[in-house]
Amino acid sequence: MAISAAAYTLTVVLCICSLQLLVAGAGPETLKLTFYAHETRGGPNATLLPAAGTGQGNFSALGWGSFMVFDNRLKEGAAADSKLLGRITGSGALTTIGGLPTGGVQVTSKFWFGEGSKYPGSSFTLVGTLSYGPAPWELIVIGGTGYFRGFSGYGLSAPENSTTVPPLFVYKWNFHLTKHF
C-alpha cells in the first residue's frame, strides 16, 4: 500500500510540474533567420563548379547527371559589400532526365558561421531540391552543430534579382528553425 501511495504522490507532483511549464509558456525555442548566399559562376573566383557529367564548365549545357560543388559566401545582405558571416558548402546533382526545366538540383549543403556572425563555429545542414520553377524553393534543415544543436526546420530560398549582376548570383534564404530538446 505504501508503494502505491508513493507512486500516486510522484505522479501528482509530475503533473503539477508539467502544468506549471505549460502555464509559464515553456515550449520549444524557435528561430527565424535571414541570410544571403553570394555565388560566383565563372572566372578565377568561381564559387560554383560544374564538376562532372554533361556541360562541365558550361552552365548552359548542364543536363541530367551533372554534378556540381560549391563554396559560396554567406552574407548579411544582398549587396556585394555586405558583411561576410560564413560559407555555404556542398554539392548538387541534376536528378531528372529533362535536366533543369523538369526538376532541379538535388543539394546537400552546410551553412558554416564564422567570426563575423552571431554564431561563430556553428553550422546547420540542409537537403532538398533547388528548382528552376517558381520560387521560393523549400529545403529541409536536418540539424546543426554548436548554437544550432537540436534545431531542425526548413529554409525558403529565392533569387535576389535586383542585385544580381553575372557572374554574381545572390539568393535570399529565410530559415524557420525549432529546437526540439
Side-chain angles (χ1 to χ4, degrees), residues 74 87-88 109-113 122-126 173 175:
L74 177 62
R87 309 214 59 85
I88 306 165
S109 63
K110 184 163 275 206
F111 282 63
W112 299 90
F113 294 86
S122 300
S123 68
F124 56 80
T125 300
L126 61 89
W173 282 94
F175 289 99

Side-chain angles (χ1 to χ4, degrees), residues 9-68:
T9 302
L10 180 60
T11 302
V12 170
V13 170
L14 289 174
C15 287
I16 291 170
C17 290
S18 297
L19 285 173
Q20 286 177 337
L21 286 174
L22 287 172
V23 171
E29 182 180 353
T30 60
L31 291 174
K32 291 184 180 179
L33 306 168
T34 299
F35 305 111
Y36 293 82
H38 288 241
E39 175 180 281
T40 304
R41 297 181 190 172
N45 298 318
T47 62
L48 174 67
L49 174 67
T54 61
Q56 287 180 340
N58 180 357
F59 287 99
S60 62
L62 291 176
W64 181 57
S66 294
F67 183 80
M68 294 160 280

Side-chain angles (χ1 to χ4, degrees), residues 39 41 48 59 62 68 94 100-101 103-105 129-135 137 171:
E39 175 180 281
R41 297 181 190 172
L48 174 67
F59 287 99
L62 291 176
M68 294 160 280
L94 274 85
L100 293 176
V105 180
T129 301
L130 290 173
S131 173
Y132 282 85
W137 310 304
Y171 298 90

Side-chain angles (χ1 to χ4, degrees), residues 79-159:
D81 62 350
S82 64
K83 183 178 179 183
L84 180 66
L85 302 176
R87 309 214 59 85
I88 306 165
T89 61
S91 60
L94 274 85
T95 57
T96 56
I97 292 175
L100 293 176
T102 63
V105 180
Q106 177 69 37
V107 298
T108 301
S109 63
K110 184 163 275 206
F111 282 63
W112 299 90
F113 294 86
E115 295 305 318
S117 75
K118 287 175 49 176
Y119 314 106
S122 300
S123 68
F124 56 80
T125 300
L126 61 89
V127 297
T129 301
L130 290 173
S131 173
Y132 282 85
W137 310 304
E138 185 172 352
L139 285 82
I140 302 165
V141 176
I142 58 173
T145 66
Y147 183 85
F148 299 107
R149 186 174 298 123
F151 280 92
S152 63
Y154 65 96
L156 299 171
S157 181

